[in-house]
Amino acid sequence: TRQLIRYRDGGIEKTPWQQPCWGCPAWFVNEKDENDKGVRHILNFGHTFGHALESDSNFTLLHGEAVANGMLIASYIKGYYVELKTVLSKMSCPVVKKINKENIIEFIKNDKKASKNHISFIEVKEIGKPVITNKKIEDLERMLDEYGK
């Protein structure tokens, strides 16, 4: 049986899997949005860095592991980074410590969500509050610099 993993008040709670997307309503996941430009787009949190990490690792990182690490990078200067890292470590998710910034940025520049020097990027200002933004590639470079310190 699949388990749904939730983080509650400092502990991990497992419950039976009942819906796709860890409990997201079906209309949210199934909404017709082939280009991920609407509300479904927020499900891409962590994917910009994640896909680049996955490619840079020659796919030795599993997709979920890469996206989880992308979430860590995206949240590094946010208040919930430590919480997220704690959850991932309790789930035995490997944390990428050494990042080849040049490779990652090159992968991001070739991402389908990139245009010129910008990319559509999901930020989570605080847990439960995602925002679709348009980031400059140089902003992502600075995020990688901060994360790599």
Side-chain angles (χ1 to χ4, degrees):
T1 302
R2 286 182 160 178
Q3 296 280 308
L4 169 65
I5 299 171
R6 298 179 192 193
Y7 183 66
R8 302 267 181 185
D9 301 319
I12 295 219
E13 166 186 308
K14 293 183 180 182
T15 57
W17 181 283
Q18 296 176 349
Q19 289 185 312
C21 181
W22 292 13
C24 291
W27 65 265
F28 188 84
V29 176
N30 295 325
E31 178 187 301
K32 185 173 172 65
D33 183 18
E34 289 93 17
N35 297 316
D36 279 341
K37 301 259 186 233
V39 70
R40 244 186 69 178
H41 189 46
I42 62 172
L43 293 176
N44 286 326
F45 175 56
H47 280 74
T48 300
F49 287 123
H51 287 155
L53 290 167
E54 187 176 21
S55 296
D56 192 50
S57 78
N58 262 343
F59 301 93
T60 57
L61 271 179
L62 298 174
H63 179 71
E65 294 168 343
V67 170
N69 277 272
M71 292 165 64
L72 278 177
I73 296 168
S75 70
Y76 187 68
I77 57 172
K78 307 292 182 191
Y80 57 88
Y81 168 80
V82 172
E83 248 182 311
L84 180 57
K85 189 172 180 184
T86 300
V87 170
L88 295 179
S89 70
K90 286 182 180 183
M91 294 171 59
S92 301
C93 180
V95 174
V96 176
K97 292 184 172 79
K98 191 172 182 181
I99 294 174
N100 183 326
K101 182 177 102 173
E102 291 75 27
N103 284 0
I104 299 302
I105 292 300
E106 201 54 43
F107 284 117
I108 288 172
K109 285 179 180 177
N110 291 306
D111 189 295
K112 70 179 180 183
K113 298 180 297 298
S115 63
K116 296 188 181 183
N117 291 324
H118 290 82
I119 189 162
S120 178
F121 188 82
I122 307 306
E123 276 191 274
V124 177
K125 301 289 185 184
E126 60 184 83
I127 294 176
K129 304 221 188 283
V131 179
I132 301 170
T133 63
N134 194 25
K135 285 277 192 204
K136 292 180 181 177
I137 298 295
E138 64 192 46
D139 293 337
L140 300 186
E141 290 182 55
R142 279 194 290 275
M143 291 170 88
L144 287 168
D145 286 339
E146 284 297 314
Y147 185 78
K149 287 183 179 178

mmCIF file of all heavy atoms in Angstrom, residues 40-82:
data_model
loop_
_atom_site.group_PDB
_atom_site.id
_atom_site.type_symbol
_atom_site.label_atom_id
_atom_site.label_comp_id
_atom_site.label_asym_id
_atom_site.label_seq_id
_atom_site.Cartn_x
_atom_site.Cartn_y
_atom_site.Cartn_z
ATOM 1 N N ARG A 40 -2.050 25.057 -12.009
ATOM 2 C CA ARG A 40 -1.259 23.819 -11.954
ATOM 3 C C ARG A 40 0.235 24.081 -11.948
ATOM 4 O O ARG A 40 1.033 23.259 -11.506
ATOM 5 C CB ARG A 40 -1.600 22.958 -13.173
ATOM 6 C CG ARG A 40 -2.242 21.648 -12.824
ATOM 7 C CD ARG A 40 -2.415 20.808 -14.038
ATOM 8 N NE ARG A 40 -1.112 20.385 -14.515
ATOM 9 C CZ ARG A 40 -0.928 19.598 -15.543
ATOM 10 N NH1 ARG A 40 -1.944 19.158 -16.229
ATOM 11 N NH2 ARG A 40 0.267 19.248 -15.914
ATOM 12 N N HIS A 41 0.605 25.226 -12.449
ATOM 13 C CA HIS A 41 2.022 25.578 -12.564
ATOM 14 C C HIS A 41 2.738 25.533 -11.210
ATOM 15 O O HIS A 41 3.935 25.243 -11.144
ATOM 16 C CB HIS A 41 2.133 26.960 -13.201
ATOM 17 C CG HIS A 41 3.521 27.365 -13.580
ATOM 18 N ND1 HIS A 41 4.401 26.538 -14.236
ATOM 19 C CD2 HIS A 41 4.189 28.525 -13.399
ATOM 20 C CE1 HIS A 41 5.534 27.161 -14.437
ATOM 21 N NE2 HIS A 41 5.435 28.381 -13.932
ATOM 22 N N ILE A 42 2.020 25.792 -10.132
ATOM 23 C CA ILE A 42 2.681 25.796 -8.820
ATOM 24 C C ILE A 42 3.201 24.418 -8.416
ATOM 25 O O ILE A 42 4.061 24.310 -7.549
ATOM 26 C CB ILE A 42 1.799 26.409 -7.714
ATOM 27 C CG1 ILE A 42 0.526 25.611 -7.507
ATOM 28 C CG2 ILE A 42 1.514 27.866 -7.992
ATOM 29 C CD1 ILE A 42 -0.286 26.063 -6.306
ATOM 30 N N LEU A 43 2.685 23.370 -9.070
ATOM 31 C CA LEU A 43 3.206 22.023 -8.792
ATOM 32 C C LEU A 43 4.652 21.878 -9.268
ATOM 33 O O LEU A 43 5.320 20.899 -8.939
ATOM 34 C CB LEU A 43 2.338 20.954 -9.464
ATOM 35 C CG LEU A 43 0.927 20.816 -8.921
ATOM 36 C CD1 LEU A 43 0.156 19.789 -9.735
ATOM 37 C CD2 LEU A 43 0.945 20.438 -7.456
ATOM 38 N N ASN A 44 5.137 22.860 -10.030
ATOM 39 C CA ASN A 44 6.508 22.820 -10.533
ATOM 40 C C ASN A 44 7.533 23.344 -9.533
ATOM 41 O O ASN A 44 8.705 23.470 -9.858
ATOM 42 C CB ASN A 44 6.620 23.622 -11.843
ATOM 43 C CG ASN A 44 5.990 22.882 -12.991
ATOM 44 O OD1 ASN A 44 6.032 21.661 -13.048
ATOM 45 N ND2 ASN A 44 5.380 23.611 -13.896
ATOM 46 N N PHE A 45 7.104 23.639 -8.310
ATOM 47 C CA PHE A 45 8.057 24.093 -7.297
ATOM 48 C C PHE A 45 9.202 23.089 -7.177
ATOM 49 O O PHE A 45 8.985 21.895 -7.005
ATOM 50 C CB PHE A 45 7.357 24.262 -5.939
ATOM 51 C CG PHE A 45 8.277 24.613 -4.818
ATOM 52 C CD1 PHE A 45 9.099 25.726 -4.895
ATOM 53 C CD2 PHE A 45 8.334 23.828 -3.674
ATOM 54 C CE1 PHE A 45 9.953 26.058 -3.858
ATOM 55 C CE2 PHE A 45 9.187 24.153 -2.624
ATOM 56 C CZ PHE A 45 9.995 25.265 -2.718
ATOM 57 N N GLY A 46 10.418 23.577 -7.318
ATOM 58 C CA GLY A 46 11.606 22.723 -7.228
ATOM 59 C C GLY A 46 12.050 22.139 -8.554
ATOM 60 O O GLY A 46 13.175 21.666 -8.673
ATOM 61 N N HIS A 47 11.182 22.176 -9.560
ATOM 62 C CA HIS A 47 11.500 21.528 -10.829
ATOM 63 C C HIS A 47 12.545 22.278 -11.660
ATOM 64 O O HIS A 47 13.304 21.647 -12.389
ATOM 65 C CB HIS A 47 10.237 21.315 -11.665
ATOM 66 C CG HIS A 47 9.462 20.127 -11.249
ATOM 67 N ND1 HIS A 47 8.704 20.103 -10.098
ATOM 68 C CD2 HIS A 47 9.325 18.903 -11.821
ATOM 69 C CE1 HIS A 47 8.129 18.927 -9.986
ATOM 70 N NE2 HIS A 47 8.494 18.173 -11.013
ATOM 71 N N THR A 48 12.610 23.598 -11.575
ATOM 72 C CA THR A 48 13.585 24.333 -12.386
ATOM 73 C C THR A 48 14.996 23.879 -12.031
ATOM 74 O O THR A 48 15.757 23.461 -12.903
ATOM 75 C CB THR A 48 13.434 25.854 -12.181
ATOM 76 O OG1 THR A 48 12.113 26.234 -12.582
ATOM 77 C CG2 THR A 48 14.459 26.632 -12.988
ATOM 78 N N PHE A 49 15.335 23.940 -10.748
ATOM 79 C CA PHE A 49 16.650 23.449 -10.321
ATOM 80 C C PHE A 49 16.690 21.922 -10.381
ATOM 81 O O PHE A 49 17.712 21.335 -10.728
ATOM 82 C CB PHE A 49 16.971 23.900 -8.895
ATOM 83 C CG PHE A 49 17.313 25.361 -8.775
ATOM 84 C CD1 PHE A 49 16.592 26.186 -7.935
ATOM 85 C CD2 PHE A 49 18.374 25.913 -9.486
ATOM 86 C CE1 PHE A 49 16.916 27.532 -7.793
ATOM 87 C CE2 PHE A 49 18.703 27.255 -9.358
ATOM 88 C CZ PHE A 49 17.970 28.067 -8.505
ATOM 89 N N GLY A 50 15.586 21.272 -10.070
ATOM 90 C CA GLY A 50 15.546 19.816 -10.029
ATOM 91 C C GLY A 50 15.880 19.158 -11.347
ATOM 92 O O GLY A 50 16.688 18.218 -11.398
ATOM 93 N N HIS A 51 15.259 19.624 -12.438
ATOM 94 C CA HIS A 51 15.555 19.039 -13.743
ATOM 95 C C HIS A 51 17.023 19.247 -14.117
ATOM 96 O O HIS A 51 17.659 18.359 -14.697
ATOM 97 C CB HIS A 51 14.651 19.631 -14.824
ATOM 98 C CG HIS A 51 13.252 19.146 -14.736
ATOM 99 N ND1 HIS A 51 12.192 19.862 -15.217
ATOM 100 C CD2 HIS A 51 12.716 18.017 -14.226
ATOM 101 C CE1 HIS A 51 11.071 19.205 -15.006
ATOM 102 N NE2 HIS A 51 11.367 18.072 -14.397
ATOM 103 N N ALA A 52 17.563 20.423 -13.771
ATOM 104 C CA ALA A 52 18.973 20.687 -14.056
ATOM 105 C C ALA A 52 19.880 19.770 -13.236
ATOM 106 O O ALA A 52 20.858 19.224 -13.764
ATOM 107 C CB ALA A 52 19.284 22.156 -13.783
ATOM 108 N N LEU A 53 19.556 19.583 -11.967
ATOM 109 C CA LEU A 53 20.351 18.672 -11.123
ATOM 110 C C LEU A 53 20.271 17.238 -11.627
ATOM 111 O O LEU A 53 21.275 16.517 -11.645
ATOM 112 C CB LEU A 53 19.858 18.730 -9.671
ATOM 113 C CG LEU A 53 20.131 20.016 -8.902
ATOM 114 C CD1 LEU A 53 19.310 20.045 -7.618
ATOM 115 C CD2 LEU A 53 21.618 20.154 -8.609
ATOM 116 N N GLU A 54 19.074 16.836 -12.027
ATOM 117 C CA GLU A 54 18.862 15.477 -12.542
ATOM 118 C C GLU A 54 19.728 15.245 -13.780
ATOM 119 O O GLU A 54 20.425 14.238 -13.885
ATOM 120 C CB GLU A 54 17.379 15.329 -12.874
ATOM 121 C CG GLU A 54 16.917 13.965 -13.257
ATOM 122 C CD GLU A 54 15.412 13.928 -13.477
ATOM 123 O OE1 GLU A 54 14.761 14.974 -13.722
ATOM 124 O OE2 GLU A 54 14.881 12.819 -13.416
ATOM 125 N N SER A 55 19.715 16.202 -14.706
ATOM 126 C CA SER A 55 20.519 16.085 -15.928
ATOM 127 C C SER A 55 22.006 16.113 -15.611
ATOM 128 O O SER A 55 22.781 15.316 -16.135
ATOM 129 C CB SER A 55 20.181 17.219 -16.901
ATOM 130 O OG SER A 55 18.845 17.111 -17.325
ATOM 131 N N ASP A 56 22.400 17.046 -14.738
ATOM 132 C CA ASP A 56 23.816 17.184 -14.391
ATOM 133 C C ASP A 56 24.350 15.935 -13.694
ATOM 134 O O ASP A 56 25.532 15.630 -13.797
ATOM 135 C CB ASP A 56 24.033 18.421 -13.520
ATOM 136 C CG ASP A 56 25.495 18.767 -13.371
ATOM 137 O OD1 ASP A 56 26.194 18.848 -14.406
ATOM 138 O OD2 ASP A 56 25.943 18.946 -12.220
ATOM 139 N N SER A 57 23.490 15.205 -13.014
ATOM 140 C CA SER A 57 23.928 13.984 -12.322
ATOM 141 C C SER A 57 23.981 12.781 -13.264
ATOM 142 O O SER A 57 24.270 11.672 -12.822
ATOM 143 C CB SER A 57 22.974 13.657 -11.161
ATOM 144 O OG SER A 57 21.782 13.064 -11.639
ATOM 145 N N ASN A 58 23.698 13.006 -14.548
ATOM 146 C CA ASN A 58 23.587 11.900 -15.509
ATOM 147 C C ASN A 58 22.508 10.927 -15.071
ATOM 148 O O ASN A 58 22.632 9.722 -15.237
ATOM 149 C CB ASN A 58 24.916 11.168 -15.694
ATOM 150 C CG ASN A 58 25.646 11.648 -16.916
ATOM 151 O OD1 ASN A 58 25.049 12.276 -17.795
ATOM 152 N ND2 ASN A 58 26.926 11.357 -16.975
ATOM 153 N N PHE A 59 21.474 11.471 -14.455
ATOM 154 C CA PHE A 59 20.295 10.729 -14.011
ATOM 155 C C PHE A 59 20.595 9.697 -12.927
ATOM 156 O O PHE A 59 19.858 8.752 -12.744
ATOM 157 C CB PHE A 59 19.556 10.130 -15.209
ATOM 158 C CG PHE A 59 19.126 11.197 -16.173
ATOM 159 C CD1 PHE A 59 19.923 11.560 -17.246
ATOM 160 C CD2 PHE A 59 17.941 11.888 -15.969
ATOM 161 C CE1 PHE A 59 19.547 12.580 -18.105
ATOM 162 C CE2 PHE A 59 17.557 12.909 -16.816
ATOM 163 C CZ PHE A 59 18.360 13.262 -17.886
ATOM 164 N N THR A 60 21.687 9.923 -12.183
ATOM 165 C CA THR A 60 21.918 9.068 -11.017
ATOM 166 C C THR A 60 21.013 9.507 -9.869
ATOM 167 O O THR A 60 20.701 8.702 -8.996
ATOM 168 C CB THR A 60 23.396 9.100 -10.561
ATOM 169 O OG1 THR A 60 23.771 10.440 -10.281
ATOM 170 C CG2 THR A 60 24.303 8.517 -11.631
ATOM 171 N N LEU A 61 20.602 10.773 -9.876
ATOM 172 C CA LEU A 61 19.586 11.237 -8.925
ATOM 173 C C LEU A 61 18.228 10.871 -9.496
ATOM 174 O O LEU A 61 17.964 11.107 -10.678
ATOM 175 C CB LEU A 61 19.625 12.765 -8.787
ATOM 176 C CG LEU A 61 20.520 13.413 -7.770
ATOM 177 C CD1 LEU A 61 20.393 14.930 -7.836
ATOM 178 C CD2 LEU A 61 20.247 12.940 -6.364
ATOM 179 N N LEU A 62 17.380 10.286 -8.697
ATOM 180 C CA LEU A 62 16.016 10.014 -9.127
ATOM 181 C C LEU A 62 15.283 11.343 -9.295
ATOM 182 O O LEU A 62 15.654 12.349 -8.680
ATOM 183 C CB LEU A 62 15.294 9.147 -8.098
ATOM 184 C CG LEU A 62 15.880 7.765 -7.852
ATOM 185 C CD1 LEU A 62 15.142 7.075 -6.710
ATOM 186 C CD2 LEU A 62 15.829 6.927 -9.112
ATOM 187 N N HIS A 63 14.249 11.358 -10.110
ATOM 188 C CA HIS A 63 13.514 12.588 -10.378
ATOM 189 C C HIS A 63 13.042 13.245 -9.081
ATOM 190 O O HIS A 63 13.250 14.447 -8.867
ATOM 191 C CB HIS A 63 12.325 12.311 -11.301
ATOM 192 C CG HIS A 63 11.521 13.522 -11.601
ATOM 193 N ND1 HIS A 63 11.977 14.536 -12.409
ATOM 194 C CD2 HIS A 63 10.293 13.906 -11.172
ATOM 195 C CE1 HIS A 63 11.073 15.486 -12.479
ATOM 196 N NE2 HIS A 63 10.027 15.136 -11.739
ATOM 197 N N GLY A 64 12.440 12.481 -8.196
ATOM 198 C CA GLY A 64 11.939 13.036 -6.939
ATOM 199 C C GLY A 64 13.052 13.582 -6.064
ATOM 200 O O GLY A 64 12.889 14.614 -5.398
ATOM 201 N N GLU A 65 14.198 12.887 -6.050
ATOM 202 C CA GLU A 65 15.341 13.368 -5.274
ATOM 203 C C GLU A 65 15.857 14.685 -5.838
ATOM 204 O O GLU A 65 16.184 15.611 -5.088
ATOM 205 C CB GLU A 65 16.466 12.325 -5.294
ATOM 206 C CG GLU A 65 16.112 11.039 -4.594
ATOM 207 C CD GLU A 65 17.109 9.921 -4.863
ATOM 208 O OE1 GLU A 65 17.910 9.996 -5.822
ATOM 209 O OE2 GLU A 65 17.083 8.942 -4.086
ATOM 210 N N ALA A 66 15.925 14.767 -7.166
ATOM 211 C CA ALA A 66 16.405 15.990 -7.815
ATOM 212 C C ALA A 66 15.451 17.156 -7.551
ATOM 213 O O ALA A 66 15.887 18.265 -7.232
ATOM 214 C CB ALA A 66 16.563 15.751 -9.323
ATOM 215 N N VAL A 67 14.162 16.913 -7.667
ATOM 216 C CA VAL A 67 13.174 17.969 -7.414
ATOM 217 C C VAL A 67 13.207 18.394 -5.942
ATOM 218 O O VAL A 67 13.143 19.582 -5.624
ATOM 219 C CB VAL A 67 11.751 17.530 -7.849
ATOM 220 C CG1 VAL A 67 10.698 18.521 -7.379
ATOM 221 C CG2 VAL A 67 11.697 17.370 -9.366
ATOM 222 N N ALA A 68 13.353 17.434 -5.042
ATOM 223 C CA ALA A 68 13.452 17.764 -3.613
ATOM 224 C C ALA A 68 14.659 18.664 -3.366
ATOM 225 O O ALA A 68 14.578 19.645 -2.615
ATOM 226 C CB ALA A 68 13.544 16.484 -2.780
ATOM 227 N N ASN A 69 15.775 18.363 -4.005
ATOM 228 C CA ASN A 69 16.959 19.211 -3.873
ATOM 229 C C ASN A 69 16.741 20.575 -4.531
ATOM 230 O O ASN A 69 17.228 21.588 -4.043
ATOM 231 C CB ASN A 69 18.191 18.516 -4.453
ATOM 232 C CG ASN A 69 18.812 17.567 -3.471
ATOM 233 O OD1 ASN A 69 19.650 17.960 -2.666
ATOM 234 N ND2 ASN A 69 18.390 16.310 -3.504
ATOM 235 N N GLY A 70 15.988 20.597 -5.615
ATOM 236 C CA GLY A 70 15.621 21.871 -6.241
ATOM 237 C C GLY A 70 14.787 22.720 -5.298
ATOM 238 O O GLY A 70 14.942 23.945 -5.223
ATOM 239 N N MET A 71 13.912 22.064 -4.541
ATOM 240 C CA MET A 71 13.115 22.767 -3.538
ATOM 241 C C MET A 71 14.022 23.338 -2.441
ATOM 242 O O MET A 71 13.807 24.458 -1.976
ATOM 243 C CB MET A 71 12.077 21.818 -2.930
ATOM 244 C CG MET A 71 10.994 21.403 -3.915
ATOM 245 S SD MET A 71 10.009 19.978 -3.380
ATOM 246 C CE MET A 71 9.208 20.613 -1.928
ATOM 247 N N LEU A 72 15.030 22.578 -2.058
ATOM 248 C CA LEU A 72 15.974 23.069 -1.045
ATOM 249 C C LEU A 72 16.705 24.315 -1.526
ATOM 250 O O LEU A 72 16.831 25.293 -0.782
ATOM 251 C CB LEU A 72 17.002 21.987 -0.694
ATOM 252 C CG LEU A 72 16.592 20.931 0.303
ATOM 253 C CD1 LEU A 72 17.710 19.914 0.480
ATOM 254 C CD2 LEU A 72 16.222 21.547 1.637
ATOM 255 N N ILE A 73 17.190 24.266 -2.756
ATOM 256 C CA ILE A 73 17.903 25.424 -3.296
ATOM 257 C C ILE A 73 16.974 26.632 -3.355
ATOM 258 O O ILE A 73 17.334 27.729 -2.938
ATOM 259 C CB ILE A 73 18.485 25.115 -4.696
ATOM 260 C CG1 ILE A 73 19.547 24.018 -4.610
ATOM 261 C CG2 ILE A 73 19.074 26.390 -5.324
ATOM 262 C CD1 ILE A 73 19.971 23.443 -5.938
ATOM 263 N N ALA A 74 15.764 26.414 -3.858
ATOM 264 C CA ALA A 74 14.801 27.509 -3.997
ATOM 265 C C ALA A 74 14.384 28.072 -2.639
ATOM 266 O O ALA A 74 13.968 29.225 -2.545
ATOM 267 C CB ALA A 74 13.575 27.033 -4.773
ATOM 268 N N SER A 75 14.490 27.278 -1.611
ATOM 269 C CA SER A 75 14.052 27.723 -0.282
ATOM 270 C C SER A 75 15.212 28.132 0.620
ATOM 271 O O SER A 75 14.997 28.503 1.767
ATOM 272 C CB SER A 75 13.259 26.610 0.405
ATOM 273 O OG SER A 75 14.104 25.537 0.766
ATOM 274 N N TYR A 76 16.428 28.101 0.113
ATOM 275 C CA TYR A 76 17.601 28.274 0.960
ATOM 276 C C TYR A 76 17.576 29.561 1.778
ATOM 277 O O TYR A 76 17.941 29.564 2.942
ATOM 278 C CB TYR A 76 18.885 28.201 0.130
ATOM 279 C CG TYR A 76 20.116 28.214 0.990
ATOM 280 C CD1 TYR A 76 20.409 27.130 1.813
ATOM 281 C CD2 TYR A 76 20.952 29.310 1.029
ATOM 282 C CE1 TYR A 76 21.514 27.132 2.637
ATOM 283 C CE2 TYR A 76 22.080 29.325 1.847
ATOM 284 C CZ TYR A 76 22.349 28.237 2.643
ATOM 285 O OH TYR A 76 23.443 28.240 3.465
ATOM 286 N N ILE A 77 17.156 30.657 1.179
ATOM 287 C CA ILE A 77 17.157 31.921 1.929
ATOM 288 C C ILE A 77 15.796 32.200 2.565
ATOM 289 O O ILE A 77 15.565 33.281 3.085
ATOM 290 C CB ILE A 77 17.587 33.107 1.033
ATOM 291 C CG1 ILE A 77 16.685 33.224 -0.187
ATOM 292 C CG2 ILE A 77 19.047 32.963 0.631
ATOM 293 C CD1 ILE A 77 16.924 34.470 -1.020
ATOM 294 N N LYS A 78 14.921 31.228 2.543
ATOM 295 C CA LYS A 78 13.591 31.384 3.140
ATOM 296 C C LYS A 78 13.597 30.812 4.551
ATOM 297 O O LYS A 78 14.454 30.038 4.924
ATOM 298 C CB LYS A 78 12.525 30.662 2.296
ATOM 299 C CG LYS A 78 12.507 31.035 0.831
ATOM 300 C CD LYS A 78 12.041 32.460 0.649
ATOM 301 C CE LYS A 78 11.986 32.796 -0.824
ATOM 302 N NZ LYS A 78 11.801 34.179 -1.072
ATOM 303 N N GLY A 79 12.581 31.142 5.303
ATOM 304 C CA GLY A 79 12.509 30.722 6.688
ATOM 305 C C GLY A 79 12.220 29.253 6.908
ATOM 306 O O GLY A 79 12.403 28.749 8.004
ATOM 307 N N TYR A 80 11.802 28.540 5.879
ATOM 308 C CA TYR A 80 11.409 27.140 6.063
ATOM 309 C C TYR A 80 12.450 26.156 5.544
ATOM 310 O O TYR A 80 12.219 24.954 5.523
ATOM 311 C CB TYR A 80 10.048 26.871 5.396
ATOM 312 C CG TYR A 80 10.026 27.197 3.924
ATOM 313 C CD1 TYR A 80 10.405 26.249 2.984
ATOM 314 C CD2 TYR A 80 9.644 28.450 3.476
ATOM 315 C CE1 TYR A 80 10.413 26.545 1.649
ATOM 316 C CE2 TYR A 80 9.635 28.756 2.134
ATOM 317 C CZ TYR A 80 10.022 27.808 1.222
ATOM 318 O OH TYR A 80 10.037 28.105 -0.112
ATOM 319 N N TYR A 81 13.627 26.624 5.159
ATOM 320 C CA TYR A 81 14.664 25.741 4.621
ATOM 321 C C TYR A 81 15.017 24.618 5.589
ATOM 322 O O TYR A 81 15.082 23.456 5.209
ATOM 323 C CB TYR A 81 15.909 26.562 4.260
ATOM 324 C CG TYR A 81 17.120 25.714 3.972
ATOM 325 C CD1 TYR A 81 17.270 25.110 2.727
ATOM 326 C CD2 TYR A 81 18.084 25.481 4.939
ATOM 327 C CE1 TYR A 81 18.361 24.315 2.449
ATOM 328 C CE2 TYR A 81 19.189 24.682 4.670
ATOM 329 C CZ TYR A 81 19.318 24.103 3.434
ATOM 330 O OH TYR A 81 20.400 23.303 3.165
ATOM 331 N N VAL A 82 15.268 24.958 6.850
ATOM 332 C CA VAL A 82 15.683 23.957 7.840
ATOM 333 C C VAL A 82 14.586 22.916 8.021
ATOM 334 O O VAL A 82 14.865 21.711 8.093
ATOM 335 C CB VAL A 82 16.057 24.626 9.187
ATOM 336 C CG1 VAL A 82 16.299 23.586 10.261
ATOM 337 C CG2 VAL A 82 17.276 25.511 9.002
#
